Amino acid sequence: MNKRKQNLLLNALTWAVVLLSLLPIFWMVLSSLRSFGEITEGAQLSSEQALHWENYRDMWLNVDFLNYFLNSLIVCGWTTLFATMFATFAAYALARFRFRGSDTASIAITVTQVIPGMLFFLPLYMLYKNMGESWGIPMLNTYHGQIFLYVSLFTPASIWIMRGFFMSIPRELEDAAIIDGCSRFGAFVRIVLPISAPGIIATATFIFLLAWDELFFAWMLTSSAEVQTIPVGIRLFNGQFQHRYDLMMAAATVSTLPVLLAFFACQRFFIKGLAAGAVKG
Amino acid sequence: MMLAVNLTPILQGLYMSLLKLNQYTLNQFLDAPFIGLDNYRRILFEGHSPIRAGLGFALRNTLLYTLVVSIAAIVIGLAVAVLLNRDFPAKGVARTLLLLPWIVPSYVVGSLWGFMWQRDVGIVNVVLVDYLHLLDEKPFWLLGANSFWAIVIPTVWRAWPVMMLLFLAALQAVPEDQYEAATLDGVSKWGQFWHITLPILKPVIVIQFMFQFIDNVYSYNIVSMMFGGGYPGEWADLLMPLLTRQSFSYWMFGQGAAVSFIMMTLMLIFVAVWMRSFKRSLANDE
């Protein structure tokens, strides 16, 4: 009886922690459905309050949010595609072959984890500026300038995750396929890729989450609204004279949705992938 | 190749930190006047240079912020992981829901908490003052020393769920019979945690503390969104926001590069010392 009581208490405590940690998210969604007046007057919450769904219409009209939203999708989509592709090939090479410079490559990947690219925003900014002005290759204020940078920022970490997946696949599987007449590349495509699909999905989700969250470089490398992503655009709800918190929370909710959907769609692979990485250290 | 890609910006950054780079010399940075270590001298010793003035505060805040956030995220993550490492109904649901704060993009976290901390309309004051009557009058959370906690709490809120997940994974790899044997020997629950669980988790803690530390030293999004990209005050200004603000509003590119280089050197020293001191416990993990 005592043991059971203790267990019930612990269960209650666990769910209390869950609810407490979800409160800010709940508050974000609730605020997005309150009217501007209710927010600024600090009106007390009551159960008969009407839900102001029109906030979700107004936020697209007030700031050209659709533009920022689409830009985010474009930049993050291409980044995820390229970074996943590069990481897959590089990780496979590092997991299976020893070649000249394979150790150096591993070290270099570790170094990028320790020294984040953020520290080099000045050289990068100069490089992008010069490429546009002296070489005639515009990089600032472009989609490809952002995508190029994000791919190079997020590939190294992804290589680490993928490498673990490839190393856990027994080498014999490929050897058997090669003996049966498959080429090396054929064995990779037909045997290794299908087995490691969960790992690839987990990595792609990870990259998408990182790219969607990127504000620092997005802020520095773009100045025209045509290519700016959500984190830059969402600041526009902080007007000079009033803060439209109702619309801002609606925009915040909408910009959380894509990553939330990606997470729920892939969570089975994703949580497993993250956890596997932790145990291997 | 990879090393070259990493090394080039480091070298370029080092070179830039030796130049007099401002809005006039920026366009032709190869022709900018070479001033040797003058940028470093200005940052470290010249009291009235704009970047020096805020650097002391930013450095102090960054260190405190990083330590508090990293330790809190690890301690809370560990506690909840232990709590979750039992059999109870809807275990998987709880675990997934707990991860949600981490899924919310950090710029959303910044805007959301910036709104929640508002003095008059923010939910924090409404709950603390109007509902719970814990305080007599509504404090300003985004001003003065309070603003330090205003940036720490959201960061911890977003960081600990991942720690929880990683610890939980490590905990599930602990063989059950170790606990059974300890229970037979009459070791208390607390003793079991101290002598069995913690040693097994040590490698994860060592690595995760390092990554937390690195992450938080370069924290930018939450502060910048919460304070609208302006000056967050001397208690909430961190190194990265300071660095970007100084570089892009005062055009002190050379000095900015010098600060970056100092940060990188300090970070490398920290990582080297950290890895060396825990080499053994990490090697056991292999």
Side-chain angles (χ1 to χ4, degrees):
Chain A
M1 181 59 196
N2 201 8
K3 185 101 184 160
R4 237 192 93 210
K5 234 178 188 170
Q6 196 191 347
N7 239 334
L8 276 178
L9 205 73
L10 284 175
N11 291 355
L13 185 64
T14 314
W15 285 102
V17 171
V18 175
L19 288 181
L20 202 67
S21 74
L22 290 181
L23 270 183
I25 300 176
F26 175 72
W27 184 243
M28 171 174 83
V29 179
L30 190 70
S31 303
S32 74
L33 294 170
R34 300 179 81 202
S35 74
F36 184 56
E38 280 162 359
I39 285 179
T40 46
E41 285 158 22
Q44 305 281 318
L45 293 171
S46 67
S47 52
E48 65 259 30
Q49 218 157 57
L51 296 180
H52 293 265
W53 291 102
E54 65 268 21
N55 286 347
Y56 281 88
R57 181 198 63 210
D58 293 346
M59 79 177 235
W60 303 96
L61 302 174
N62 185 298
V63 166
D64 186 9
F65 197 74
L66 182 66
N67 164 53
Y68 297 102
F69 193 83
L70 291 178
N71 287 342
S72 264
L73 279 184
I74 292 170
V75 171
C76 298
W78 286 111
T79 300
T80 309
L81 186 73
F82 282 122
T84 312
M85 206 166 73
F86 292 157
T88 306
F89 287 121
Y92 183 70
L94 282 175
R96 281 289 186 268
F97 308 114
R98 294 203 47 82
F99 50 93
R100 251 174 66 108
S102 62
D103 287 336
T104 326
S106 302
I107 294 168
I109 293 169
T110 321
V111 170
T112 56
Q113 298 299 293
V114 177
I115 317 170
M118 263 175 124
L119 219 43
F120 303 104
F121 69 96
L122 290 173
L124 183 92
Y125 178 78
M126 302 291 297
L127 179 72
Y128 271 27
K129 200 169 153 61
N130 274 331
M131 281 177 84
E133 284 167 11
S134 315
W135 308 346
I137 311 168
M139 294 299 274
L140 292 175
N141 277 325
T142 58
Y143 287 132
H144 63 259
Q146 298 177 72
I147 295 167
F148 184 81
L149 174 72
Y150 293 170
V151 169
S152 58
L153 281 183
F154 303 140
T155 303
S158 318
I159 294 178
W160 265 142
I161 306 177
M162 288 298 299
R163 205 180 73 124
F165 276 102
F166 287 135
M167 297 214 320
S168 67
I169 299 172
R171 198 181 275 262
E172 289 75 27
L173 284 177
E174 292 150 75
D175 292 342
I178 291 171
I179 290 168
D180 286 345
C182 231
S183 66
R184 181 92 233 179
F185 188 72
F188 173 68
V189 171
R190 287 188 198 163
I191 311 287
V192 179
L193 277 189
I195 301 177
S196 49
I200 295 174
I201 295 173
T203 312
T205 317
F206 185 64
I207 296 168
F208 185 74
L209 256 61
L210 284 177
W212 195 264
D213 195 23
E214 217 293 315
L215 162 66
F216 187 79
F217 286 109
W219 184 235
M220 257 173 333
L221 301 182
T222 60
S223 53
S224 94
E226 274 160 43
V227 294
Q228 279 174 335
T229 48
I230 293 175
V232 184
I234 208 168
R235 292 176 189 232
L236 297 176
F237 292 107
N238 265 337
Q240 201 169 356
F241 303 108
Q242 57 175 204
H243 298 282
R244 289 304 303 263
Y245 287 120
D246 51 340
L247 303 186
M248 193 199 235
M249 288 304 115
T253 309
V254 169
S255 36
T256 308
L257 276 181
V259 275
L260 213 59
L261 290 178
F263 171 71
F264 276 120
C266 310
Q267 60 143 330
R268 292 186 52 199
F269 312 118
F270 190 59
I271 293 184
K272 220 181 260 172
L274 265 182
V279 179
K280 276 179 215 126
Chain B
M1 226 290 276
M2 286 291 294
L3 197 64
V5 171
N6 290 313
L7 208 60
T8 318
I10 297 180
L11 292 178
Q12 197 194 342
L14 180 62
Y15 179 62
M16 278 175 68
S17 73
L18 304 174
L19 300 176
K20 186 180 172 64
L21 269 186
N22 51 31
Q23 66 268 49
Y24 308 112
T25 53
L26 190 62
N27 281 329
Q28 293 295 323
F29 94 98
L30 288 175
D31 301 331
F34 188 85
I35 51 171
L37 295 175
D38 200 50
N39 284 326
Y40 292 90
R41 184 186 62 76
R42 276 163 185 265
I43 294 162
L44 298 173
F45 305 113
E46 196 172 285
H48 58 267
S49 73
I51 204 164
R52 169 70 182 78
L55 197 63
F57 293 129
L59 198 63
R60 174 199 65 191
N61 296 343
T62 306
L63 258 183
L64 276 177
Y65 168 87
T66 303
L67 277 177
V68 173
V69 170
S70 311
I71 293 172
I74 285 178
V75 170
I76 300 175
L78 185 56
V80 180
V82 171
L83 197 61
L84 277 174
N85 193 28
R86 305 171 301 119
D87 256 328
F88 63 96
K91 199 162 71 167
V93 178
R95 210 189 305 175
T96 310
L97 287 179
L98 278 176
L99 267 184
L100 292 188
W102 178 64
I103 304 301
V104 175
S106 57
Y107 59 85
V108 169
V109 173
S111 330
L112 169 61
W113 282 82
F115 167 48
M116 288 169 48
W117 290 127
Q118 290 296 315
R119 179 175 182 267
D120 297 317
V121 303
I123 185 72
V124 176
N125 275 345
V126 170
V127 169
L128 285 183
V129 182
D130 295 347
Y131 287 159
L132 298 176
H133 304 290
L134 287 176
L135 302 167
D136 290 335
E137 80 182 32
K138 296 185 169 180
F140 285 98
W141 289 103
L142 297 174
L143 284 178
N146 282 345
S147 57
F148 177 74
W149 298 104
I151 60 173
V152 163
I153 292 171
T155 317
V156 174
W157 175 70
R158 186 172 187 269
W160 74 261
V162 197
M163 295 299 112
M164 181 271 301
L165 183 74
L166 301 182
F167 287 133
L168 195 57
L171 279 176
Q172 283 169 349
V174 180
E176 199 57 45
D177 51 351
Q178 286 203 24
Y179 291 110
E180 281 162 21
T183 313
L184 285 179
D185 289 344
V187 180
S188 69
K189 282 269 176 211
W190 186 243
Q192 288 179 22
F193 175 76
W194 209 248
H195 295 292
I196 303 174
T197 312
L198 263 192
I200 287 175
L201 291 182
K202 198 178 162 195
V204 187
I205 296 176
V206 167
I207 283 288
Q208 290 312 320
F209 181 81
M210 193 181 84
F211 281 122
Q212 274 294 314
F213 196 89
I214 295 170
D215 266 6
N216 291 313
V217 164
Y218 299 103
S219 194
Y220 175 81
N221 292 9
I222 290 180
V223 176
S224 130
M225 289 309 281
M226 202 178 282
F227 296 90
Y231 176 58
E234 60 189 49
W235 275 99
D237 202 16
L238 301 180
L239 281 169
M240 278 333 273
L242 171 96
L243 206 50
T244 28
R245 215 174 50 242
Q246 295 292 344
S247 302
F248 286 93
S249 42
Y250 293 90
W251 299 98
M252 298 288 184
F253 273 61
Q255 291 181 23
V259 174
S260 301
F261 203 76
I262 295 173
M263 267 176 90
M264 187 196 76
T265 315
L266 291 178
M267 219 54 202
L268 281 179
I269 294 172
F270 162 74
V271 171
V273 170
W274 186 258
M275 293 303 271
R276 183 166 283 256
S277 5
F278 289 103
K279 213 173 180 178
R280 188 173 295 160
S281 76
L282 289 175
N284 286 346
D285 184 42
E286 295 290 311

